[in-house]
Amino acid sequence: MSELPDSYDPDSVEPKWRDNWQEMDVYEYDGDSDTDYVVDTPPPYPTGNLHIGNALGWCYMDFAARYHRLQGDDVLFPQGWDCHGLPTEVKVEENNDIHRTDVPRDEFREMCIEHTEEQIDAMKETMGTLGFSQDWNHEFKTMDPEYWGTTQRSFVEMADDDLVYRDEHPVNWCPRCETAIADAEVEAEEGIDGTLYYITFEGADEDTEDIEIATTRPELLAACVSMAVHPDDERFEDRIGDSFEVPLFGHEVELIADEESDPDFGTGAVMICTFGDKQDVTWWAEHDLDLRMVFTEDGRLNDEAGEYAGLDIEEAKAEIVDDLEDEGVLNDSEPTEQAVGQCWRCDTPIEILSKEQWFVEVDQDEILEKAQQVQWIPDHMYDRLEDWTEGMEWDWVISRQRVFATPIPSWFCADEDCDHIHIAGPDELPVKPTEEDPDVEACPECGGTDWIGETDVMDTWMDSSITPLYVRGWPEEEFEPTTLREQGHDIIRTWAFYTLLRTSAIEDEIPWEEALINGMVFGEDGNKMSKSKGNFVQPEEAVEEYSADAFRQAMALGGQPGSDIQFQWKEVKSASKFGTKIWNITRFATGHLDEEGATAEDPAYRDADEWILSRASQVADDVAEHMDEYRFDAALRELREFVWHDLADDYLELIKGRLYEGRPGERNAARKALETSLTASLRMLSPFAPFLTEEAYDAIPSTEGSVHAADWPDIDMRDEEAELAGELIADVASTVRGWKSDEGMALNAELGDIEVYPDETPERAVDTYDLSEAINGPVHVRKGEPAIELVPVEVDPDHSVIGPEFRDQAGQVVGALEGADPAEIKQQKQLDGEIEVELGEEVAVVPGEAVEVREEHRAESGEEVEVIESEHATILVYKE
RNA sequence: GGGUUCGUGGUCUAGUCGGUUAUGACGCGGCCUUUACAAGGCCGAGGUCGGUGGUUCGAAUCCGCCCGAACCCA
């Protein structure tokens, strides 16, 4: 027997176990079992801060990983880092006060790596604080050559299959970042103030009447290649095909008709520029229009814009508007609101430029076919992916004009007349084409031996979309789908989409069997967390205030996975109180358990023991079912209910008599059942509260090793009769205790004789030993009805029987029953087994079992007895 | 504008393949020092389940419409 401290101190216990676990290697993946459970963990972008939204997702993964370890699965819970990216470049430029072109590519890359390592360390620290159980032997960083070499390998494989190609095509372009970006990286910002200008285009010849168009972007006039109206728009009847002169620039454009043109916008006529928006791209392609590119990569007008060349977009807009006014072709302008596509990293409005870029082919049908084989949790998350996939218009542009990213492993033949592009072979990888030459003798087309390395790098999604492949040891190991992908619903269109695409393209497989999608975490006021709103909470704050275990439980109970959850301090607090409860139960138990008692063979269980063991068996089955379905909320709720109510409130109170004063056999049975149900509870709770349960499990003398290396409880003592008997005992005990409390009596006040009349007589004799001890009085269980007056007080019809039987008359039948004299109904039920009720002319015959008559016991006057109705029995307490 | 999800005591939440008294927590009020726990126990108040119409013997639950919120997309 050991003495535990009075109170549980998470501030010292949590760091202690964090260190111990590292040494114990309890999270190690063997890799040689056939019950793999592999998590495709998100590799977060190393911002240096693991926020509460991340924490929710990692809690879910950790619950699942820990649960599956208890189930005996060989769990791989790795952790990666999605290192590459623009924000790091910008940060490094800021920190060192340089521009990335000021230093050699490789030096700049090194600076980025160094910065990233620091950020990763900070986030790992938080992950440790929160008790996540990744196997750090399987950590990966996309900036390591081993990883980005694999990214290059995936590129090479897809290029071999013509799924990666280089072409000129309009792409989204961020003029500030000076790079192409993918559709998924463009965010539509609504309600941007703009101005709508009404501009006259003069007819190209004297017979052609002028036309007025409306545009928010006059700076694109130089790029105007056509104009469009709706074919049914009467205002432009007979004018299709007419030519007009573009103001200020003088080139001629033709009016075309297209269904997509909105007759309600402006004058009904719009100019088509290359390119103002995606609609322009569509029209340009469909109507085979000219290409007049007027923007440079840094967002200025080029020589096509004549005297306006060199101006940035805002300057050009102002000057062109002035000049249009001077020319007398600017008729009107009005404020308007517009939606503008912006770069998701820097919020700069994007432009569309036609550039030679690398693309990955998007095969929508194939992606959806694979996505349908994945089990999405909750189901409807699949719909989001489907919507996005079906709306994909362009192939995925994967080249970026940056530095800190995976190099595209290709070279251009240096001969000006030769357009051969060499893509690296698998054996050359990883390779930096800007520093190394390809592993070929000469250009197969022109025989040249000089090469120019590709300076473009890959979209970081090229790295992160191969995590399942990487985690599974691809390409050396044969790929098998991972078990679980956990991620937020906000990145279904990116991460989930790209991963499905790539795994399918490379291995013709699904990346994961299950996709568990978490919701967002909102602040306590129900709004999105933001520092300016003052509702921002860092996971560490909750740990500091309460504990990591409490925080984790609050995350589990916030709502069912998939739904957004509101962070609630009160949930953390109540979880922490539950922790205290567990601690106190453990403290009590360890005072009574020793290795011998708890391992007693063939214990002489009493009803209460069999009851709690049966309940524990049931709970283990139920909770496993919830955990298998990722219903962490339901699992933890049921566990709390069981531990608090059944184990602590009822069972512990019932066995105190035996533990303190029982004979050895009786005492050992109680000890054994207590040990079994408590250690089972701790194991089941360990995924949610890993620190507390470990400390408690460790304190129990009969246990060995870590709770996290234990097995899921396999008690298998379901026994319906024992449950009925136990429920009756617990019910009577807590009812009598409640009654004492109401009466203002001390809870250990001695009572006179107690007679228990169960509502349903149990099959076997009820064991009153524990009950007598718990309520401090001799208990006699009697059959039949107590010898006191029983008064029928209420008729309670069973709707589920009467409803189907009497259909549209059910309402009347129920009404008649409820209105009748309870005593008479009772008599009919007893004598005839059925009840006749009058419904106007008719008489309805109701089966007796469909009607319950509630009765109350009334002690006859002068009797020194108290009558208490409990849920399962009538209890008579005789006064001493 | 399209799609998805959601609306349950003051707050958060469970229940939602129809069935008798709608779950738990926090908060609130009252009572109680009992050999694990006052960071506890017991009791209580508090809900026309967003509104409305329908299906049904019966609707928080199924269907239609409306209102409101969140997210994704245009």
Side-chain angles (χ1 to χ4, degrees):
Chain A
M1 297 193 199
S2 60
E3 274 299 314
L4 296 192
D6 282 353
S7 61
Y8 175 77
D9 176 25
D11 293 341
S12 63
V13 171
E14 294 192 348
K16 178 184 80 180
W17 285 112
R18 206 149 48 228
D19 294 342
N20 286 2
W21 289 333
Q22 281 313 312
E23 288 161 27
M24 291 156 72
D25 271 339
V26 278
Y27 310 134
E28 204 167 9
Y29 172 65
D30 293 335
D32 54 8
S33 162
D34 50 6
T35 57
D36 264 1
Y37 184 87
V38 179
V39 185
D40 177 23
T41 319
Y45 191 76
T47 55
N49 178 34
L50 190 92
H51 59 76
I52 203 159
N54 299 129
L56 176 68
W58 263 265
C59 282
Y60 287 173
M61 283 182 276
D62 199 53
F63 299 153
R66 289 180 183 277
Y67 164 69
H68 280 275
R69 285 193 201 100
L70 293 175
Q71 286 288 9
D73 294 344
D74 189 12
V75 172
L76 174 56
F77 182 12
Q79 185 61 61
W81 303 95
D82 182 22
C83 307
H84 290 139
L86 186 61
T88 300
E89 292 189 20
V90 173
K91 195 80 198 163
V92 166
E93 286 176 329
E94 265 176 34
N95 290 352
N96 297 283
D97 196 23
I98 54 167
H99 188 264
R100 69 175 191 271
T101 50
D102 295 346
V103 295
R105 257 181 115 80
D106 231 30
E107 193 176 316
F108 187 73
R109 219 188 128 79
E110 282 306 318
M111 294 164 91
C112 290
I113 289 172
E114 197 179 316
H115 173 77
T116 302
E117 293 285 4
E118 289 168 18
Q119 306 292 87
I120 289 176
D121 288 345
M123 294 176 85
K124 273 169 89 165
E125 179 75 24
T126 307
M127 288 174 169
T129 301
L130 294 176
F132 300 142
S133 62
Q134 295 100 329
D135 180 352
W136 292 103
N137 298 321
H138 289 263
E139 184 179 11
F140 61 85
K141 298 167 186 164
T142 61
M143 66 185 180
D144 291 345
E146 192 198 346
Y147 192 99
W148 61 257
T150 309
T151 305
Q152 288 184 328
R153 172 68 181 256
S154 69
F155 176 97
V156 168
E157 300 242 338
M158 288 179 74
D160 278 350
D161 294 336
D162 296 324
L163 298 172
V164 165
Y165 62 92
R166 186 173 165 84
D167 196 6
E168 177 165 344
H169 189 277
V171 292
N172 302 301
W173 188 271
C174 174
R176 198 210 67 88
C177 305
E178 293 184 48
T179 182
I181 57 176
D183 279 0
E185 295 172 306
V186 176
E187 300 212 315
E189 183 70 23
E190 315 226 355
I192 302 285
D193 290 333
T195 309
L196 190 58
Y197 300 94
Y198 290 84
I199 301 167
T200 298
F201 279 40
E202 289 176 8
D205 53 59
E206 291 181 2
D207 299 336
T208 309
E209 212 181 306
D210 297 348
I211 198 167
E212 189 184 45
I213 61 103
T215 181
T216 57
R217 303 204 58 189
E219 70 275 19
L220 277 167
L221 274 173
C224 179
V225 291
S226 181
M227 285 186 281
V229 294
H230 195 276
D232 301 335
D233 193 334
E234 290 170 7
R235 291 170 292 182
F236 302 104
E237 234 175 348
D238 305 329
R239 305 198 63 186
I240 310 303
D242 284 1
S243 289
F244 302 90
E245 195 177 291
V246 176
L248 305 182
F249 297 94
H251 59 282
E252 285 186 15
V253 294
E254 194 180 299
L255 183 68
I256 61 167
D258 193 292
E259 300 269 349
E260 291 296 309
S261 186
D262 178 6
D264 297 329
F265 179 80
T267 62
V270 293
M271 60 177 188
I272 303 175
C273 305
T274 53
F275 298 97
D277 57 22
K278 276 194 162 182
Q279 182 62 61
D280 284 344
V281 177
T282 309
W283 280 332
W284 169 74
E286 274 177 17
H287 297 278
D288 198 21
L289 302 171
D290 291 341
L291 180 64
R292 288 176 67 93
M293 295 257 297
V294 299
F295 284 126
T296 61
E297 295 181 355
D298 62 352
R300 293 174 182 277
L301 291 184
N302 64 16
D303 294 341
E304 288 277 349
E307 58 177 295
Y308 304 100
L311 299 178
D312 71 27
I313 293 164
E314 286 308 311
E315 292 164 353
K317 184 182 298 223
E319 284 206 19
I320 288 171
V321 167
D322 278 351
D323 292 350
L324 287 170
E325 195 148 23
D326 292 347
E327 290 275 315
V329 292
L330 179 63
N331 308 314
D332 197 7
S333 66
E334 62 185 27
T336 186
E337 278 196 359
Q338 50 188 340
V340 174
Q342 297 186 341
C343 173
W344 77 337
R345 292 294 193 204
C346 69
D347 293 343
T348 305
I350 59 124
E351 294 297 340
I352 296 176
L353 303 187
S354 185
K355 305 291 284 186
E356 188 144 308
Q357 299 286 338
W358 293 90
F359 292 89
V360 160
E361 189 181 292
V362 174
D363 183 336
Q364 289 148 305
D365 294 339
E366 190 184 312
I367 293 166
L368 289 178
E369 191 242 321
K370 289 291 187 293
Q372 281 157 12
Q373 296 171 38
V374 171
Q375 194 192 341
W376 296 81
I377 304 161
D379 287 339
H380 65 82
M381 291 298 177
Y382 166 77
D383 298 338
R384 297 212 176 190
L385 182 97
E386 190 179 77
D387 279 356
W388 173 254
T389 307
E390 286 175 348
M392 285 296 286
E393 289 177 1
W394 295 356
D395 277 349
W396 173 19
V397 56
I398 55 163
S399 41
R400 298 287 183 275
Q401 290 67 47
R402 308 298 308 179
V403 175
F404 188 46
T406 298
I408 290 175
S410 72
W411 295 262
F412 304 99
C413 178
D415 187 319
E416 274 183 33
D417 297 326
C418 180
D419 57 3
H420 181 71
I421 301 173
H422 175 76
I423 293 178
D427 299 337
E428 292 177 67
L429 309 176
V431 67
K432 293 178 180 170
T434 49
E435 287 164 34
E436 298 161 64
D437 272 341
D439 197 10
V440 284
E441 299 282 313
C443 172
E445 283 182 34
C446 72
T449 51
D450 290 337
W451 298 95
I452 300 167
E454 170 65 287
T455 53
D456 280 4
V457 294
M458 289 184 223
D459 180 1
T460 56
W461 291 112
M462 284 293 281
D463 290 326
S464 50
S465 57
I466 60 163
T467 53
L469 291 164
Y470 189 83
V471 161
R472 278 298 200 182
W474 184 88
E476 286 77 24
E477 307 284 326
E478 196 173 333
F479 179 74
E480 269 181 78
T482 61
T483 319
L484 177 74
R485 152 66 58 93
E486 199 291 334
Q487 61 164 78
H489 63 59
D490 52 333
I491 49 174
I492 288 177
R493 68 193 170 114
T494 49
W495 196 37
F497 175 82
Y498 290 134
T499 307
L500 281 159
L501 184 162
R502 299 258 281 149
T503 315
S504 179
I506 295 168
E507 284 290 322
D508 192 26
E509 264 289 4
I510 52 169
W512 357 267
E513 287 159 9
E514 302 169 317
L516 171 64
I517 308 297
N518 65 267
M520 304 288 106
V521 181
F522 294 112
E524 208 157 22
D525 57 0
N527 294 308
K528 229 177 204 171
M529 276 196 190
S530 79
K531 283 180 178 147
S532 60
K533 278 194 187 122
N535 62 353
F536 192 88
V537 177
Q538 247 332 97
E540 288 93 335
E541 293 175 46
V543 175
E544 202 173 314
E545 186 76 22
Y546 295 100
S547 65
D549 285 334
F551 174 78
R552 295 165 59 104
Q553 290 180 62
M555 290 287 108
L557 289 171
Q560 47 180 288
S563 55
D564 294 335
I565 74 165
Q566 214 163 312
F567 178 80
Q568 299 276 318
W569 277 109
K570 65 182 193 190
E571 287 292 350
V572 188
K573 185 180 175 184
S574 88
S576 142
K577 283 164 101 169
F578 177 58
T580 305
K581 192 81 191 174
I582 293 170
W583 184 248
N584 284 315
I585 296 167
T586 307
R587 217 154 57 84
F588 170 79
T590 52
H592 293 279
L593 296 181
D594 54 33
E595 280 173 63
E596 195 187 340
T599 54
E601 300 250 331
D602 196 18
Y605 288 136
R606 305 204 69 109
D607 280 1
D609 304 323
E610 285 176 358
W611 164 71
I612 197 70
L613 291 168
S614 178
R615 286 284 300 127
S617 308
Q618 166 92 61
V619 168
D621 290 349
D622 289 352
V623 172
E625 204 170 304
H626 293 315
M627 295 299 278
D628 285 334
E629 290 167 1
Y630 299 98
R631 282 300 304 267
F632 306 119
D633 59 322
L636 183 52
R637 228 190 336 267
E638 180 156 352
L639 278 168
R640 268 201 199 186
E641 192 82 356
F642 171 72
V643 170
W644 206 311
H645 191 253
D646 293 337
L647 183 60
D649 288 349
D650 292 339
Y651 182 67
L652 247 49
E653 294 303 332
L654 282 172
I655 60 170
K656 275 179 183 169
R658 267 192 284 156
L659 288 176
Y660 285 109
E661 289 153 35
R663 293 188 298 269
E666 289 159 345
R667 184 163 58 209
N668 281 344
R671 285 168 158 184
K672 173 74 176 168
L674 173 61
E675 196 268 352
T676 305
S677 46
L678 175 58
T679 55
S681 301
L682 292 175
R683 278 176 279 160
M684 292 191 278
L685 283 164
S686 69
F688 300 104
F691 298 103
L692 168 67
T693 52
E694 184 76 312
E695 181 77 1
Y697 196 77
D698 186 57
I700 295 173
S702 57
T703 61
E704 263 179 44
S706 168
V707 69
H708 304 296
D711 292 328
W712 190 256
D714 181 22
I715 303 167
D716 198 21
M717 287 188 64
R718 292 282 284 280
D719 180 340
E720 213 164 306
E721 268 185 43
E723 288 213 24
L724 287 174
E727 260 166 43
L728 177 67
I729 294 167
D731 171 47
V732 173
S734 71
T735 303
V736 171
R737 291 165 68 82
W739 170 76
K740 282 185 179 176
S741 174
D742 285 348
E743 295 294 306
M745 297 162 77
L747 288 182
N748 58 356
E750 295 288 332
L751 298 177
D753 279 347
I754 297 143
E755 289 182 354
V756 175
Y757 292 85
D759 296 341
E760 284 173 45
T761 310
E763 296 275 319
R764 64 188 197 192
V766 177
D767 173 4
T768 58
Y769 182 113
D770 292 325
L771 192 49
S772 295
E773 294 288 331
I775 60 184
N776 311 91
V779 176
H780 312 280
V781 176
R782 307 276 195 229
K783 285 184 190 170
E785 299 296 335
I788 49 172
E789 198 187 355
L790 197 57
V791 185
V793 290
E794 197 184 342
V795 179
D796 190 8
D798 185 343
H799 294 234
S800 66
V801 175
I802 293 171
E805 176 108 13
F806 294 95
R807 313 297 295 177
D808 55 344
Q809 286 181 311
Q812 285 177 277
V813 173
V814 167
L817 285 167
E818 285 174 347
D821 175 8
E824 197 174 309
I825 299 289
K826 191 194 170 195
Q827 196 178 16
Q828 275 202 53
K829 184 179 166 181
Q830 276 181 336
L831 293 178
D832 309 329
E834 55 188 29
I835 298 139
E836 292 183 0
V837 290
E838 288 182 24
L839 306 175
E841 305 277 292
E842 294 176 62
V843 172
V845 180
V846 183
E849 72 266 19
V851 182
E852 206 60 39
V853 180
R854 205 170 65 76
E855 297 168 295
E856 277 179 8
H857 291 283
R858 300 220 177 119
E860 284 170 46
S861 57
E863 188 88 63
E864 283 297 298
V865 63
E866 190 75 34
V867 182
I868 313 164
E869 295 283 355
S870 77
E871 202 182 330
H872 300 295
T874 301
I875 304 157
L876 270 54
V877 180
Y878 290 88
K879 296 184 179 150
E880 270 192 299

